[in-house]
Amino acid sequence: MLFHVTMEVQLPQSMPKDQADALKAQEKALAQRLQEEGSWRHLWRVAGQYANVSIFDVPGNEELHALLMSLPLFPYMRIAVTPLCRHPSSVRAGDL
């Protein structure tokens, strides 16, 4: 099942730089692993914001919820999720 997910990161200004840097490094490593495994299909930065737009391919809502909660930056994110399905006029048969 495909999901369009927008994530906006809001780290506290009071967070020490070394703690923020460590969280960002952990987040990057996990995001890259999930992309390589295929569950995080697309990842785009939103220009001018500390935010991204992503497409996830996971079996369902519970799996997406668990994946998002596993992200190191999850406690500092505002997340919006939209379930997707294939449009009947799409010529991309592989996007199910």
Side-chain angles (χ1 to χ4, degrees):
M1 189 168 183
L2 297 178
F3 294 90
H4 171 275
V5 179
T6 302
M7 295 177 258
E8 182 182 340
V9 180
Q10 300 173 333
L11 293 176
Q13 290 184 348
S14 61
M15 181 179 285
K17 183 181 180 335
D18 58 337
Q19 181 183 356
D21 290 346
L23 281 172
K24 291 175 191 178
Q26 294 167 10
E27 183 87 10
K28 180 177 181 177
L30 180 55
Q32 289 178 340
R33 181 174 61 82
L34 292 170
Q35 289 174 78
E36 290 168 358
E37 293 173 356
S39 57
W40 198 327
R41 283 178 73 177
H42 300 281
L43 173 58
W44 294 279
R45 175 162 294 195
V46 177
Q49 299 178 32
Y50 191 4
N52 73 72
V53 172
S54 298
I55 302 295
F56 287 89
D57 188 358
V58 293
N61 296 327
E62 290 183 22
E63 292 84 359
L64 178 65
H65 182 72
L67 186 153
L68 293 173
M69 287 189 65
S70 75
L71 297 174
L73 291 172
F74 177 80
Y76 309 103
M77 289 182 181
R78 187 167 47 181
I79 299 174
V81 176
T82 304
L84 302 173
C85 60
R86 188 172 184 275
H87 194 284
S89 298
S90 174
V91 298
R92 308 259 186 264
D95 283 343
L96 303 174

